[in-house]
Every structure is written in structure tokens, then in C-alpha cells.
């Protein structure tokens, strides 16, 4: 499902017409294990990037238990369920939320994306592509587990972020997810974000444990995105349906999200310099549709 590598001609064309490079950089956040902090990561990174004057959209890809809307302080009237039922266009359901972050909310009663017809998928991707041209970043939240929907959003993104905590079950589930994405879908790049850790040392230890196993058994090297400390301020923000980066920017987790957001800017900047990297969301997902994945 990976696109053909760009030819010299493509490079030359892209250099002359830089506008065809999609501006939005798509990151999908997944974990395997549930409850490790994915939705907090998505919402706080979206807020941190918005505070850095970037245009951000959050796509709630947790089709079963959608809840990013709570973190972003909105009660969407329409959701992806309305889109897939043919009642609304994507532009009608996109909801401006906290700090101006655009939200594509999910709702209950949505089939797994892969159970949708090709026509539905293509309509979704075409409309999504049109929306993302006005944006700098799209962050996709996903549900727990290794469902087809999780792999669909992960393989469609430019970058995959795996959130992992020091708990052994989080490490084993993260490894299982990396294994499926690497061996069944040919994914090669994974950014590991250690969450709920005691400090940088523990964050790096979590990364190194996973990284060693992936290298040994999958021949896949993992990248370290960063770490977010276990922080009562974050838990307090969650209990008030608020974001720690907004209400306690200088708290340990607020600062850590700022550092990770800077890293996302750097990753996106590096990609923009690689001319001809056309593996963007729409193209990759359309390729997947054509192959019937
Ligand atoms: N760094 C942290 N410090 C303190 N508490 C945290 C931290 N990260 C997450 N939590 C707590 O963990 C809980 C789960 O977080 P969150 O909902 O973001 O996880 P999730 O991975 O999205 O879960 P699900 O798989 O169910 O979608 C929250 O109640 C939050 O308070
Ligand atoms: Mg969640």
C-alpha cells in the first residue's frame, strides 16, 4: 500500500510547485493498551501547537468510545456518524473548539471504517483532504486495541506515535501493535512517547526496553519522541474537563507537552524539506482502498 517512490520528474515538479505538498502533517496516536493517556496526549499537543500559532485539527478516530470533545470543551451537534449515514458533509460536522482547534468528532454507532464501502471511504478521504489543506497539523486519536480502525488511521498518517507507560502490559501491548504495523503493513517509523513516568530516566528506560525488543525480534528501530511525567495537575485538569497545557502550562506535564510539541514542529519541518515525499494521508489511504485493505 506504499506509493511508488517519487521519480526525478516528481522531485523537479514539486520543487517548482511547492503548493502541491500538503501543508498538514498527520500524526496518529495509538497504544495498544487502553487508558494509557492517548486522548490526553492528542488534546494537549493540539493545544500546545495551537498556542504556537499552528492550525490544528483533531480527528477523533476512537469510533467506539469517542471522547476528545469532552477534553476540547465542546458538545458537537453532528459527528462522523452523520457523515457516514449520508446526512452531512465533513465540512458541516467540523466543530471549532477550545483555542480554535478544529475537531472532527466521532459519535456512537459508527461501523469500523473498514466495514464501510469503498464509495464511503473515498468520499471521506476526498473531503478530509480538502479540509486539511488549510491546516498545519492533524492529530488523530485512536481507541484501545489493534482493531482495523486503529491500523487504518496509523497507516494513513505521516507519523505514528505510540504512547506507552512503564506498566508491563502497556509495553507488551505497544510491542504487539508495532509488530502488526511493521510486519503486516510495512510501517518503518514509530515515535515512542513515554507517559506517566517518574522522570526522564524512566521515560528513556521505557523507550529502550521497547526499542531493544523491536530491534531484536522485528528488526525495526524505534525513535524516542519524549516523555510526559505522571502529574497530579494533569489528573486534576482531566477531572475538570480542562487541559493541563491551558490551565497549568508551567506544571511538569504542561512543560513536557510543550517540549514534545516543539519536536513535532521539527519532525514536520524535516519532512517539508524532503522534496517528493508524497505519502500523505489521502494518497496512502486511497492506495489502501484500492488494495481492498
Ligand atoms: N501523565 C499523566 N499523569 C497523570 N495522570 C495521567 C497521565 N496521563 C494519563 N493520565 C490519566 O489516565 C487516564 C486515562 O487517560 P486517557 O483517557 O487520555 O487515556 P486513553 O489512552 O485515551 O484511554 P482509552 O484507551 O480508554 O481511550 C486519565 O484519567 C488521566 O487522568
Ligand atoms: Mg482515549
Amino acid at each position: 500500500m506504499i506509493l511508488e517512490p517519487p521519480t526525478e520528474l516528481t522531485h523537479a515538479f514539486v520543487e517548482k510547485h511547492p503548493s502541491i505538498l500538503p501543508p498538514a502533517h498527520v500524526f496518529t496516536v495509538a497504544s495498544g493498551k487502553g487508558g494509557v493517556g492517548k486522548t490526553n496526549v492528542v488534546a494537549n499537543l493540539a493545544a500546545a501547537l495551537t498556542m504556537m500559532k499552528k492550525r490544528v485539527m483533531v480527528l477523533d478516530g476512537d469510533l467506539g468510545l469517542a471522547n476528545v470533545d469532552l477534553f476540547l470543551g465542546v458538545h458537537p451537534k453532528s459527528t462522523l456518524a452523520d457523515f457516514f449515514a449520508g446526512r452531512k458533509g465533513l465540512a458541516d460536522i467540523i466543530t471549532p473548539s477550545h483555542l480554535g482547534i478544529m475537531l472532527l468528532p466521532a459519535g456512537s454507532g459508527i461501523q469500523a471504517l473498514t466495514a464501510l464501502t469503498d464509495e464511503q471511504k473515498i468520499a471521506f478521504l476526498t473531503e478530509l483532504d480538502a479540509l486539511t489543506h488549510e491546516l498545519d497539523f492533524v492529530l488523530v486519536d485512536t481507541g484501545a486495541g489493534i482493531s482495523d480502525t486503529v491500523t487504518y488511521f496509523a497507516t494513513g498518517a505521516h507519523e505514528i506515535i505510540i504512547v506507552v507507560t512503564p506498566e508491563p502490559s502497556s509495553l507488551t501491548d505497544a510491542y504487539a501493535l508495532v509488530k502488526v504495523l511493521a510486519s503486516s503493513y510495512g510501517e518503518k517509523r514509530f515515535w515512542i512517547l513515554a507517559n506517566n513516568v517518574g522522570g526522564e530516566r524512566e521515560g528513556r528506560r521505557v523507550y529502550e526496553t521497547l526499542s531493544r525488543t523491536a530491534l531484536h525480534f522485528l528488526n525495526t528501530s524505534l525513535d524516542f519522541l519524549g516523555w510526559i511525567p505522571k502529574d497530579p495537575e494533569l489528573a486534576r485538569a482531566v477531572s475538570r474537563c480542562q487541559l493541563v497545557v491551558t490551565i497549568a502550562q508551567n506544571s511538569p506535564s504542561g512543560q513536557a507537552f510543550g517540549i514534545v510539541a516543539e519536536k513535532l514542529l521539527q519532525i514536520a519541518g524535516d519532512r517539508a524539506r524532503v522534496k517528493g515525499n508524497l505519502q500523505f494521508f489521502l494518497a496512502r489511504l486511497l492506495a489502501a482502498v484500492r488494495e481492498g485493505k
Side-chain angles (χ1 to χ4, degrees), residues 168-250:
S169 57
S170 170
L171 281 158
T172 48
D173 289 5
Y175 173 75
L177 177 59
V178 169
K179 184 175 175 188
V180 167
L181 290 170
S183 50
S184 304
Y185 295 88
E187 289 297 330
K188 292 191 172 56
R189 192 142 94 148
F190 301 91
W191 292 99
I192 306 306
L193 180 60
N195 184 33
N196 233 1
V197 293
E200 177 164 6
R201 228 162 102 177
E202 188 175 30
R204 286 195 178 272
R205 201 164 55 229
V206 165
Y207 160 72
E208 273 151 22
T209 306
L210 193 55
S211 180
R212 256 197 316 273
T213 317
L215 194 60
H216 184 74
F217 292 106
L218 306 174
N219 200 22
T220 299
S221 71
L222 309 179
D223 293 301
F224 186 51
L225 181 63
W227 57 280
I228 308 291
K230 183 178 180 69
D231 185 3
E233 292 274 6
L234 186 149
R236 198 163 22 248
V238 171
S239 66
R240 294 189 203 157
C241 288
Q242 287 178 321
L243 297 178
V244 75
V245 295
T246 319
I247 63 164
Q249 203 179 349
N250 292 323

Side-chain angles (χ1 to χ4, degrees), residues 39 62 67 141-142:
T39 305
D62 187 352
N67 64 350
D141 188 21
T142 61

